[in-house]
Amino acid sequence: MNAVPEPRTAAALAARRGKTDTALLRVRESIARLQREKAQVSVAAVARRANVSRTFLYANPEARAAVATAIAEAGDRRTRILVEQDNEREATWRERALNAEEALKAAQTEILTQRTRIGELLGQIRDLQAEWTEEAIQRITTENTTLKHRVRQLTADNRTLDERLKAARSNLRFQDRRVADLEARLTGTEPPA
């Protein structure tokens, strides 16, 4: 009487082990496929692709470990990519800020040079006005007007560059905060999303 159930039990256990091994193989293949496709690895996605239940993924230690490992690797890879992208953006904004500062300094130097030149010309006009012909006075007046226009233009350019510099600095502060957040996530103080 005991001999009859044992072969059936053994056969049922072997069939169950075979189904479990087949399901585990499908789970591993599904994880590998999701990683190749660079799709998000999750319990739901693996269950759908492997045609197994979520309960199987949670209950079977091998399946649970495989999914957990794949999710952790995907999170690490995603974090590395985000850090690299943020570093690239930060470098771009720093470069823009430096370029804006350099252009601002150049504009300020040009404005100072133009103002000095205007002052010299105005002094020459006052000193020599009596000795100059009407044509020379007209030429100097035209040059003076041109220089004043150039000063106004450079002042406006200076203002624009100053605004760009402020915007670049603001963006750089934002990027610094973003990098700090990512570093905090990398050190594990905050669980990855």
Side-chain angles (χ1 to χ4, degrees):
M1 208 177 205
N2 280 343
V4 174
E6 278 186 27
R8 272 200 229 161
T9 305
L13 288 174
R16 186 173 181 188
R17 245 183 266 117
K19 279 180 76 174
T20 301
D21 290 344
T22 303
L24 283 173
L25 180 62
R26 287 195 318 261
V27 166
R28 288 188 192 102
E29 289 172 351
S30 296
I31 290 171
R33 196 172 4 170
L34 285 168
Q35 288 172 334
R36 274 193 311 273
E37 294 171 0
K38 297 189 186 324
Q40 184 174 358
V41 178
S42 68
V43 173
V46 172
R48 244 188 336 270
R49 291 269 179 116
N51 197 22
V52 297
S53 69
R54 291 183 190 184
T55 304
F56 174 80
L57 293 178
Y58 288 117
N60 186 289
E62 288 181 53
R64 185 174 55 241
V67 171
T69 301
I71 289 172
E73 288 173 358
D76 291 345
R77 190 169 38 253
R78 192 171 332 131
T79 301
R80 278 194 308 275
I81 290 169
L82 288 173
V83 167
E84 289 171 4
Q85 289 173 346
D86 284 344
N87 287 342
E88 289 173 10
R89 284 189 205 111
E90 181 181 338
T92 301
W93 284 109
R94 280 196 179 148
E95 184 178 327
R96 287 180 184 176
L98 291 174
N99 289 343
E101 284 179 4
E102 188 176 309
L104 182 62
K105 287 177 186 175
Q108 288 172 339
T109 302
E110 179 68 20
I111 289 170
L112 182 60
T113 302
Q114 293 297 331
R115 285 183 177 164
T116 303
R117 180 76 176 131
I118 289 170
E120 290 171 359
L121 291 173
L122 286 174
Q124 288 175 4
I125 288 173
R126 282 188 212 105
D127 291 344
L128 303 172
Q129 193 168 18
E131 300 173 17
W132 289 33
T133 64
E134 195 61 37
E135 181 183 300
I137 292 172
Q138 183 62 35
R139 184 179 51 80
I140 295 291
T141 304
T142 303
E143 187 176 344
N144 187 32
T145 303
T146 303
L147 289 173
K148 284 181 181 178
H149 175 69
R150 181 77 175 132
V151 166
R152 280 193 300 274
Q153 181 183 3
L154 289 171
T155 303
D157 290 348
N158 187 19
R159 206 173 306 120
T160 301
L161 289 170
D162 194 32
E163 290 170 2
R164 285 183 184 170
L165 177 61
K166 287 177 185 175
R169 285 180 177 157
S170 173
N171 286 333
L172 184 58
R173 282 191 297 273
F174 173 77
Q175 293 299 327
D176 284 342
R177 283 193 301 274
R178 179 76 173 128
V179 167
D181 289 346
L182 286 171
E183 288 173 350
R185 287 177 67 189
L186 283 174
T187 59
T189 56
E190 186 178 312

